[in-house]
Amino acid sequence: MRAGFHHFRYSPQAVKVATPKETAEDERRVALVPDTATKLIAAGVEVSLEAGAGAGAFVSDDAYEKAGVKLVKGAAALLKDADAVLKVQAPTAGEVELLRKGAVLISFLQPATQGDIVKALAKRGVTAFSLELVPRISRAQSMDALSSQASAAGYKAVLMAAGRLGKFFPMMMTAAGTVAPARVLVMGAGVAGLQAIATARRLGAVVSAYDVRTAVKEEVQSLGATFIELPLEAQEGEGGYAREQTEEFLHKQRELIGEHVAKSDVVITTAAIPGRRAPLLVTADMVKGMRPGSVIVDLAAETGGNVELTKAGEDVEAGGVIIIGTRNVPSTMPLHASQLLARNVANLLLHLVKDGAITLDFEDEITKGCCVTHGGEIVNERAKQSIGAAS
Ligand code: NAD
């Protein structure tokens, strides 16, 4: 950060906040909901929205208007004088051109795969904040969109599996006999995995889980699942995350977890290392060992997949086993996913608003941590690294 740039205060007029309609294919979420609009308006912010932006999440223009939101037709008219823009997905190159110089943008940015967009935002003079880079500290929990969306994904993964499995999840005692409960294995017990465990338990399945961070053992057990302990060294890294594992470690892990995979009716994989390709946990051979009719949901599909056979955005069948690689799972639950995401986004925006004006304090861990572009430059070291690594 350049000296003298630590504090940035924008004009004292009411901050104008705008939310355009998402344009990415299959994106049904929206970054503003009527509740968060009310909260922003109460903080002295002027709130506008592109007409129809809530439709995918089942929120009508009417509901926004009742909350005091100004509806604008078309993104160009909406964005031309917006001080802050709230979005779900990173803008396209065309959308970047609609942002005014000096505007603040809050959205997912995926700096690792969207290097060109990040560069375009810098060039345009936009101050962009990436939701992925909000530090995982307790003060920022209310802004943690990765967690809120991971919860939605973990929940939905179980429902997708249950919808495809030719078995009941719970044990059933019927006049026609007793049915054994389904066996669910969750690999990766972070936010998504824990939500998947809780959901599968609520549906009555027998659940076991594995994670390379043994710190999650008690959380897994408190949800009524069995924590699988493998004779492997824990892979705890910085900030509560897993560290990147060696191929040798992953090879051993696959060998040891194989028998658990083979016994499962449903496997849900959620394993991730921040900023890296997802680790390979389930090989094609391991899938061969599963009973026909079993279902795998790979929540890491978009970052390379935890399962060798996964195809992002598709369902694959191999030897009677279905491997679900749905992209953007949170968007398939657009109402609640938007509600939670909009709260995260509004909290981050309000973090930047002091006395009715956008005030950027680059000494602040949250502001500094997730600001990616400012003053014409890419200012975030993590973003710079991931853009460098990808290009
Ligand atoms: P993530 O999405 O990066 O990864 C998902 C899970 O995969 C993690 O639990 C990770 O340990 C696991 N994993 C990685 N490699 C694996 C492998 N080879 N086999 C099995 N599992 C593997 O993680 P996340 O869900 O974002 O959360 C990570 C941690 O951060 C959790 O402990 C969570 O509680 C913590 N967290 C803290 C805060 C906060 O303090 N504000 C907020 C959110 C999450």
Side-chain angles (χ1 to χ4, degrees):
M1 191 70 37
R2 278 180 284 171
F5 268 71
H6 293 317
H7 273 81
F8 241 82
R9 211 177 141 80
Y10 287 75
S11 76
Q13 290 161 3
V15 174
K16 292 195 176 84
V17 173
T19 301
K21 201 166 163 171
E22 293 300 315
T23 53
E25 199 190 339
D26 294 335
E27 183 52 80
R28 301 188 56 129
R29 293 170 295 174
V30 58
L32 179 88
V33 297
D35 265 2
T36 56
T38 304
K39 193 170 164 181
L40 294 175
I41 291 165
V45 169
E46 251 180 64
V47 183
S48 50
L49 176 99
E50 184 177 350
F58 311 108
V59 189
S60 66
D61 283 351
D62 219 28
Y64 284 107
E65 253 175 342
K66 283 200 181 105
V69 176
K70 186 177 152 209
L71 293 175
V72 179
K73 283 217 170 75
L78 175 85
L79 298 175
K80 72 175 187 319
D81 59 354
D83 301 311
V85 175
L86 311 180
K87 262 186 73 38
V88 180
Q89 299 284 349
T92 60
E95 285 166 336
V96 171
E97 295 301 310
L98 301 179
L99 301 174
R100 70 162 184 76
K101 185 173 181 236
V104 163
L105 168 75
I106 298 179
S107 76
F108 283 114
L109 273 182
Q110 299 183 6
T113 52
Q114 298 274 17
D116 287 347
I117 292 299
V118 171
K119 287 179 197 158
L121 285 165
K123 195 166 159 223
R124 185 84 190 156
V126 172
T127 298
F129 291 87
S130 162
L131 290 169
E132 290 93 343
L133 296 178
V134 170
R136 279 357 234 291
I137 54 174
S138 43
R139 202 158 58 87
Q141 266 180 3
S142 68
M143 310 164 201
D144 184 355
L146 279 183
S147 287
S148 71
Q149 303 308 291
S151 292
Y155 168 83
K156 188 63 181 275
V158 173
L159 300 190
M160 293 194 297
R164 297 296 288 273
L165 188 71
K167 291 184 168 185
F168 295 117
F169 261 43
M171 182 174 90
M172 289 247 195
M173 289 199 260
T174 78
T178 299
V179 169
R183 290 184 170 274
V184 175
L185 170 62
V186 176
M187 299 175 80
V191 180
L194 290 170
Q195 195 55 245
I197 294 169
T199 306
R201 287 287 304 135
R202 284 183 203 118
L203 282 177
V206 172
V207 184
S208 54
Y210 169 71
D211 197 295
V212 288
R213 293 181 301 118
T214 42
V216 295
K217 177 178 169 179
E218 275 166 29
E219 280 177 275
V220 166
Q221 289 172 337
S222 71
L223 292 169
T226 308
F227 186 74
I228 298 174
E229 293 191 66
L230 301 180
L232 288 169
E233 198 192 323
Q235 300 287 308
E236 246 112 26
E238 274 171 36
Y241 286 107
R243 66 166 182 246
E244 192 169 14
Q245 302 114 38
T246 61
E247 185 42 44
E248 189 192 350
F249 173 94
L250 287 170
H251 183 76
K252 269 195 216 143
Q253 177 184 320
R254 289 190 291 263
E255 267 180 11
L256 293 165
I257 202 87
E259 58 168 307
H260 298 276
V261 171
K263 277 197 294 208
S264 304
D265 299 300
V266 168
V267 175
I268 292 174
T269 64
T270 77
I273 314 292
R276 297 270 181 274
R277 188 198 180 284
L280 177 62
L281 310 187
V282 180
T283 59
D285 259 359
M286 290 159 79
V287 172
K288 264 189 205 148
M290 295 176 77
R291 287 183 293 270
S294 303
V295 181
I296 302 176
V297 180
D298 189 349
L299 283 184
E302 275 165 288
T303 54
N306 290 142
V307 182
E308 193 179 356
L309 299 173
T310 296
K311 288 215 173 92
E314 290 179 33
D315 294 353
V316 176
E317 208 186 306
V321 177
I322 299 159
I323 301 148
I324 300 176
T326 306
R327 287 179 196 271
N328 194 357
V329 176
S331 167
T332 69
M333 323 223 337
L335 207 159
H336 273 159
S338 298
Q339 208 171 77
L340 300 177
L341 180 68
R343 283 187 199 147
N344 300 141
V345 166
N347 288 332
L348 179 54
L349 177 68
L350 290 177
H351 181 72
L352 307 176
V353 175
K354 305 258 159 20
D355 305 325
I358 293 180
T359 310
L360 304 178
D361 172 7
F362 286 113
E363 300 283 292
D364 173 72
E365 191 179 354
I366 301 174
T367 306
K368 182 170 188 259
C370 63
C371 183
V372 175
T373 62
H374 179 66
E377 291 176 30
I378 301 176
V379 292
N380 188 287
E381 286 312 314
R382 277 172 70 193
K384 271 190 211 167
Q385 274 170 17
S386 50
I387 291 168
S391 60

